Amino acid sequence: MTRLFSGLMTLGLVLVLCIQSDNAFAATDWSELSDKQQELLAPLKDDWNSMNNAQQERWLKVGRKYESEPPERQAIMRERVSTWSELSPREKAAARENYKALKEKRQGERNSSWNSYQSLDQRQRDEFKGKATNLR
């Protein structure tokens, strides 16, 4: 009985994941984008249909953020999308690698800071917390 229940639960989970992944990666037609998203992503319009679903989703995420940004930030975002669209595939790959390396470096710095904090004795931690509270 337990095996049957476990098997049905597993089957149900697989079915849900299949349905969700199918919906999550459904291609988005350009006409489905909001006016603000189209405004931001206009430099990418000609390439939109040739993008894979994951690429479209990343740009849609940027587009959703764009909609809630103040006008000054929107202008910066439009400029960056325009600059990105003008890069060659090789330049885009280099930019992705640089971003990945920077992100990993920042994570390493956070880990190092946390490890340093963990090595403090309780008195030092209390002093540190007091200084951090005073900065707020």
Side-chain angles (χ1 to χ4, degrees), residues 2 13 25 28 41 53 56 59 68 77 85 91 113 124 130:
T2 304
L13 180 60
F25 296 110
T28 304
L41 302 176
N53 297 331
Q56 282 186 1
W59 283 114
S68 63
M77 292 175 78
S85 72
E91 291 169 322
S113 296
Q124 291 171 316

Side-chain angles (χ1 to χ4, degrees), residues 100-116:
K100 182 180 176 184
L102 181 61
K103 189 174 179 180
E104 289 172 0
K105 179 181 178 191
R106 287 182 180 157
Q107 180 62 43
E109 290 171 358
R110 282 193 297 270
N111 290 342
S112 175
S113 296
W114 178 249
N115 290 337
S116 295

Side-chain angles (χ1 to χ4, degrees), residues 114-130:
W114 178 249
N115 290 337
S116 295
Y117 175 78
Q118 290 294 316
S119 69
L120 298 175
D121 63 37
Q122 190 59 45
R123 182 187 56 76
Q124 291 171 316
R125 286 185 191 181
D126 291 342
E127 287 176 13
F128 183 78
K129 288 177 186 176

Side-chain angles (χ1 to χ4, degrees), residues 70-87:
E72 311 83 48
R73 180 76 178 125
Q74 287 181 348
I76 292 168
M77 292 175 78
R78 282 192 308 273
E79 181 181 321
R80 289 184 180 166
V81 171
S82 179
T83 300
W84 178 263
S85 72
E86 295 169 3
L87 295 177

